[in-house]
Amino acid sequence: MSEATTSVPDAPIPAASVPAHRDGNVLRWVAAYTTSMVGDMVFYLALSWAAVQNGTPAQAGLVTAVSAVPRALLMLGGGVVADRLGPRRVVIGSDAVRCGAVLAVAALLFTTDPGLWLLALLALVFGTVDAVFMPAVGALPARITGRDQLARVQGMRGLAVRFASVVGAPLGGLGVAVGGAAAAFAFAGLLIAVSVPLLVSVRMRTLPADDASAAGGTTAWRDLMGGLRYVRRHRVLGPLMVAIALGDLGFVGPLNVGLTLLADERGWGASGMGWVLAGFGTGAAVAALLLTVRGRLPRAGCVAAGAIIPGAGAIAALAQAPGLPAAVGTALLIGLLTGLSGAMCGALLQTQSDPAYLGRVTAVGGIVSLGIAPLSMPLSAAAIGVWGTGPVFAVSGVVCGLGGIVALCAPGVRRAELPK
């Protein structure tokens, strides 16, 4: 059943809305999303620390990787759940389950030492819940503000992610230093708990009748297949997913394992790698802030594709940087361009999708990013071992640039505009 047919007593939000950064309804959602993301960062740091303390490095690696399996396998089904039940109730329920699970493990760790099995179970639960949480989060913006504000909301969401990545790790480390993994888990659970009442207070927008009925009267399997067909046949979403897949394949490897190997090769050390990552994060944050303030950029499809191509060139150039300052500046440019293209792609997914399919559309995008792109990390590491960083970064840049070319060659993407 679609959320528009439930008994939630929320007034419709007009199509021409208050600017999102001044809209209390949107700000409550952003606050809920931010606290939940910070809680996630604290949780994963606590999980890694507890796993290292209770097992070998290999066992700790397996525990931290457990959550990725159900997330990747179940996310398409999670998109169906979000569209059938409504993203609001799915997000609230997901956060409640995650909060309860983390606090329960924190209580057990305070009183006993249950070992790695409990941590692996917690990671499995977290990954399973994430499989429905992430598509639901992607489907919510269209229901909390007008279409003309969705690009601005994507910018605000990007700022929230950057804030969580900067603040979450130090808070997790502080929790571990004060009271060990148990205290860090408890802190993560409390942060996630704060998001629940904020989400409850968010008003939902009523969907049009034809959209609301699209997800009803069919089986879950038909909904899943219908969502995949919808994406494949859509003149914007189909080629945009291909562009996103190619962009992530060329981006994820170099900016994760590849950067570590590059810093070691150049003698920059861990601190130098941190500066490069800081440059990337700063550029991405500037792009998110630009979209938050501006709200809309004309010729959105061309901007998204046009930002991918020079960003791909910057990825290739990173391995040729003559020194650390040049590498930091190049990373800042990569963050700015990929952050801009990512935000624009996200805004196009939001505005071009029928709201009744947004959960499934978000799930397909999540599978592309979380299921396909991580494959480039071991491939990049192995290739660097054989050919070195320069050639591998160059090939990665070419792959990423192909995403921009695909987008530019697709008339639907090239002509796509954000709502005024």
Side-chain angles (χ1 to χ4, degrees):
M1 181 173 62
S2 173
E3 188 170 50
T5 63
T6 64
S7 59
V8 179
D10 295 326
I13 299 173
S17 309
V18 175
H21 59 293
R22 300 175 185 171
D23 186 343
N25 194 52
V26 175
L27 292 176
R28 286 192 296 274
W29 177 78
V30 172
Y33 180 73
T34 303
T35 55
S36 182
M37 290 299 98
V38 174
D40 278 4
M41 294 293 296
V42 174
F43 163 77
Y44 281 110
L45 188 144
L47 181 68
S48 299
W49 179 264
V52 168
Q53 297 299 306
N54 284 273
T56 66
Q59 290 172 330
L62 285 175
V63 168
T64 54
V66 161
S67 63
V69 176
R71 187 188 299 124
L73 293 178
L74 302 176
M75 190 173 294
L76 287 176
V80 173
V81 171
D83 285 335
R84 289 177 71 88
L85 300 182
R88 181 177 188 259
R89 63 171 63 178
V90 172
V91 170
I92 292 172
S94 299
D95 265 354
V97 170
R98 296 195 305 167
C99 173
V102 175
L103 289 178
V105 169
L108 285 173
L109 289 177
F110 272 122
T111 58
T112 185
D113 184 14
L116 284 173
W117 71 267
L118 179 66
L119 299 176
L121 178 62
L122 178 61
L124 187 67
V125 170
F126 229 75
T128 302
V129 174
D130 269 354
V132 295
F133 173 81
M134 296 176 70
V137 165
L140 266 179
R143 291 166 167 85
I144 62 174
T145 189
R147 294 179 72 247
D148 60 311
Q149 295 300 313
L150 289 175
R152 184 170 271 132
V153 170
Q154 288 302 307
M156 297 169 72
R157 184 178 175 184
L159 288 174
V161 170
R162 295 299 155 200
F163 176 83
S165 64
V166 170
V167 172
L171 286 179
L174 179 62
V176 169
V178 171
F185 276 128
F187 189 32
L190 291 175
L191 283 168
I192 297 172
V194 170
S195 70
V196 176
L198 287 170
L199 287 168
V200 171
S201 70
V202 173
R203 293 179 294 112
M204 292 291 110
R205 177 181 180 217
T206 302
L207 296 179
D210 55 339
D211 291 344
S213 61
T218 63
T219 65
W221 178 253
R222 287 180 178 176
D223 283 350
L224 176 58
M225 293 297 101
L228 293 175
R229 283 194 301 271
Y230 175 76
V231 172
R232 179 171 57 85
R233 296 173 179 175
H234 199 285
R235 64 186 184 87
V236 176
L237 301 181
L240 196 60
M241 289 296 183
V242 176
I244 292 171
L246 289 170
D248 282 350
L249 277 171
F251 173 80
V252 171
L255 265 295
N256 285 275
V257 63
L259 179 58
T260 303
L261 296 173
L262 179 64
D264 180 65
E265 177 185 287
R266 296 296 186 84
W268 296 338
S271 62
M273 186 178 69
W275 278 107
V276 175
L277 288 173
F280 166 76
T282 300
V286 169
L289 182 61
L290 171 66
L291 200 56
T292 299
V293 174
R294 177 85 182 202
R296 180 184 183 274
L297 296 177
R299 301 182 63 83
C302 286
V303 170
I308 292 174
I309 294 173
I315 290 173
L318 182 61
Q320 308 300 327
L324 182 58
V328 173
T330 304
L332 191 149
L333 181 62
I334 294 171
L336 179 63
L337 292 170
T338 58
L340 179 60
S341 64
M344 296 304 290
C345 287
L348 286 171
L349 292 180
Q350 289 283 322
T351 55
Q352 295 290 325
S353 300
D354 186 312
Y357 288 94
L358 261 175
R360 283 162 285 179
V361 170
T362 304
V364 173
I367 288 293
V368 166
S369 296
L370 299 176
I372 299 176
L375 296 176
S376 65
M377 287 192 282
L379 291 176
S380 295
I384 288 172
V386 176
W387 293 294
T389 54
V392 172
F393 272 66
V395 171
S396 296
V398 170
V399 173
C400 188
L402 285 175
I405 293 172
V406 167
L408 284 176
C409 290
V413 177
R414 193 171 60 249
R415 298 168 186 163
E417 294 278 8
L418 296 176
K420 294 182 179 180

